[in-house]
Amino acid sequence: MARPVTELIRGCNLLPSLPTVALRLMELVRRDAPVSEIAKVLSADPAMSSRLLRTVNSSFYRRSHTVSTVAHAITVLGVVSVKTIVLGFSLVQNLQKQHSKGFDHLKYWRHSIYSATAAMALAQRLKILQRDECFLAALLADIGMLALDKALGEEYGQLQESIASHAQLPAAESKTLNVTHADASGILACDWKLPALLATPMACHHNPTAAPDAFQQKLSLVVGVASRCADVFTDEDARPAITELRQICLAEFGLSPADCDQLLAQIATQTREQAPLFEIQMDAPIDLPAMLAEANQTLVDLMLRSDQQAKLLAEQNQQLLAQVSTDSLTGLANRDRFEQLLAQQFRKGDIRPVSLILLDVDGFKLINDSYGHQAGDAALMAIGRALAAAARDGDLAARIGGDEFALLLSRTDSAQARHIAVNICSMVSGSAVPVGDLSLAVTVSAGVATRDAGSAFDDSAAMVKAADASLYSAKAAGRNCVRAWKPPTAGKRHVA
């Protein structure tokens, strides 16, 4: 049956026609053209140049300065990275149009972007220079699934429904079809004349030893492990994937279970930053700490017998939970933990008031530019201490972005929240931040939003948007001040 299916794959007309800009870019890269010539080609395509600038300025790259020109973006990212981004955008945009009644395409693209982000994170941790190739190879590694889906339709969809995890797919495909989606990916990669650094990991990510040399075996292993990372976020039961992934990371890369869990936390955050750039729709934020805790509990049930061992694992579990839910610089909760707790406030159906204070540093870019990032970090830590001091039992202080902070206040009305925000602003402005021999004066602006009977937000996103609008109003009012959201009424402003 392998030959007929292979012929179906080659004849399924899955090959997307790349935009002229992508074909021209690959030609320029092959002949080592100057940056100015590459920039001229990319700038001629407004859609692609806009995507490139949106990518380099995204939170994923965490740049302190805005990149406003294509030439600057190429200089910052490098020609290889730009080629990878353009090729990735072009292929994904075209392939997302491939649909049939077979399997869940939304889940497929979510798995692909998780795999791509995981591959880049692994390559970075393992100090592999070809990080962009790992990203793109992982993004396209399962492209054979689209080919098999288009060739076989509902038959392939039924095969998908028979398995619980993507990791089980190659065995099920081999048994039923005598060919795997990785084989199909390799066929397509060859037909598309993709370079070996992409084609080999695409074909061998489920069987790295089949790669022709040690280096390509390593790249294939990275892409394969990245696929297992993605299973953690897309499988209904993540425990088997977490357990196996910890074992693989320890055996292949020398990463401890704690290192593995930190890697998963990094993947969770960066994937949510990358997905919108590729127009891939993500589901609700995943409660990774709870998933890791559940996996640890399974290990407790299966492996530990003595009370002493159980106590040790419980302590490790608490440490892991803290690592994946805490901002390493300030010690506050991170964005994922903040979003989870805020969403819980709306799921509970509790009618008692809840307030949200959003703060950011006034003139933070000027601090970094004038005194260096060490001064910026010192300012962030000082503000973190002020928020931690202001938080009461039941509140949550979090760092949710570069210089953005949040304080979620339980059972707190708008007047109380505004009072707390004013106190925080006063505390920050009244304390100089020591940086070496210098003492910096730092201020923050704050926006307040409250969910109560008078302003019932539909969801947590609406509440964040209201607090953000209030923060913007505080900035416009001269900074180092507080503005609170008020429900819109005729003839009145929304913030005060």
Side-chain angles (χ1 to χ4, degrees), residues 120-139:
M120 178 172 278
L122 268 171
Q124 183 176 5
R125 189 168 286 242
L126 298 175
K127 295 180 171 55
I128 295 175
L129 296 179
Q130 292 76 12
R131 298 171 188 173
D132 297 291
E133 287 83 355
C134 287
F135 178 91
L136 187 55
L139 185 69

Side-chain angles (χ1 to χ4, degrees), residues 184 216 229 276 437:
Q216 293 191 70
C229 290
D437 297 332

Side-chain angles (χ1 to χ4, degrees), residues 25-353:
L25 174 62
M26 288 190 289
E27 176 187 343
L28 292 174
V29 172
R30 274 196 296 269
R31 64 180 178 84
D32 199 23
V35 168
S36 59
E37 189 174 354
I38 295 173
K40 183 177 180 181
V41 169
L42 290 177
S43 298
D45 187 322
M48 187 60 72
S49 58
S50 174
R51 277 194 168 199
L52 180 62
L53 291 175
R54 187 154 57 98
T55 299
V56 71
N57 288 309
S58 69
S59 56
F60 182 80
Y61 286 96
R62 291 177 172 82
R63 297 200 53 77
S64 59
H65 301 282
T66 299
V67 175
S68 57
T69 67
V70 171
H72 190 191
I74 298 171
T75 302
V76 168
L77 295 176
V79 173
V80 173
S81 294
V82 170
K83 182 194 75 171
T84 301
I85 290 169
V86 172
L87 185 58
F89 282 154
S90 302
L91 288 171
V92 171
Q93 185 177 12
N94 283 275
L95 290 168
Q96 282 181 323
K97 301 174 185 176
Q98 304 284 342
H99 282 284
S100 75
K101 296 181 180 179
F103 69 103
D104 186 345
H105 283 253
L106 180 58
K107 183 178 179 180
Y108 166 86
W109 284 112
R110 287 173 180 167
H111 189 278
S112 295
I113 193 65
Y114 273 121
S115 295
T117 309
M120 178 172 278
L122 268 171
Q124 183 176 5
R125 189 168 286 242
L126 298 175
K127 295 180 171 55
I128 295 175
L129 296 179
Q130 292 76 12
R131 298 171 188 173
D132 297 291
E133 287 83 355
C134 287
F135 178 91
L136 187 55
L139 185 69
L140 302 177
D142 294 327
I143 211 73
M145 293 174 63
L146 296 181
L148 290 171
D149 176 53
K150 190 166 185 178
L152 303 175
E154 292 187 1
E155 178 185 353
Y156 192 64
Q158 292 171 359
L159 187 150
Q160 288 278 319
E161 293 174 356
S162 70
I163 60 174
S165 173
H166 180 86
Q168 301 168 353
L169 184 59
E173 290 168 333
S174 293
K175 182 178 179 180
T176 305
L177 308 174
N178 287 333
V179 67
T180 71
H181 68 277
D183 298 329
S185 297
I187 292 171
L188 293 173
C190 290
D191 287 351
W192 295 345
K193 297 180 174 57
L194 294 181
L197 285 179
L198 296 177
T200 300
M202 288 170 62
C204 301
H205 67 283
H206 284 298
N207 183 21
T209 56
D213 57 54
F215 179 67
Q216 293 191 70
Q217 287 175 10
K218 186 172 185 178
L219 295 186
S220 300
L221 176 63
V222 167
V223 174
V225 175
S227 178
R228 198 58 172 141
C229 290
D231 294 342
V232 172
F233 302 97
T234 57
D235 286 356
E236 288 189 16
D237 183 1
R239 289 174 297 178
I242 292 172
T243 300
E244 182 180 0
L245 188 61
R246 287 170 174 171
Q247 295 170 349
I248 294 173
C249 285
L250 182 61
E252 297 291 346
F253 309 130
L255 300 179
S256 69
D259 291 334
C260 180
D261 293 348
Q262 286 181 329
L263 178 67
L264 288 172
Q266 177 185 350
I267 293 165
T269 298
Q270 293 184 349
T271 300
R272 302 200 77 82
E273 296 169 347
Q274 279 278 26
L277 302 176
F278 287 86
E279 298 180 356
I280 296 174
Q281 181 182 350
M282 301 300 288
D283 50 4
I286 292 172
D287 191 350
L288 181 60
M291 291 166 54
L292 296 174
E294 189 175 2
N296 283 345
Q297 187 59 48
T298 299
L299 288 177
V300 172
D301 296 339
L302 294 175
M303 301 172 61
L304 300 180
R305 294 293 180 266
S306 71
D307 291 340
Q308 182 179 3
Q309 289 175 313
K311 181 179 179 181
L312 176 61
L313 190 62
E315 291 173 352
Q316 292 174 343
N317 184 49
Q318 290 300 317
Q319 293 172 357
L320 292 173
L321 287 174
Q323 289 173 352
V324 299
S325 61
T326 302
D327 174 61
S328 59
L329 179 65
T330 63
L332 301 181
N334 61 16
R335 187 185 188 97
D336 287 343
R337 182 59 185 151
F338 163 74
E339 290 180 345
Q340 291 159 13
L341 190 60
L342 181 59
Q344 288 173 11
Q345 295 293 333
F346 282 81
R347 286 198 297 265
K348 288 177 180 178
D350 194 338
I351 62 173
R352 288 172 293 190

Side-chain angles (χ1 to χ4, degrees), residues 382-435:
I383 294 165
R385 290 191 292 271
L387 259 69
R392 309 157 304 178
D393 289 343
D395 297 341
L396 180 75
R399 180 187 177 202
I400 59 174
D403 65 328
E404 298 172 345
F405 295 83
L407 184 58
L408 186 59
L409 303 168
S410 62
R411 305 181 185 181
T412 305
D413 61 25
S414 182
Q416 291 174 297
R418 183 165 185 161
H419 178 71
I420 292 171
V422 169
N423 286 342
I424 293 172
C425 289
S426 299
M427 187 184 308
V428 173
S429 62
S431 303
V433 177
V435 180

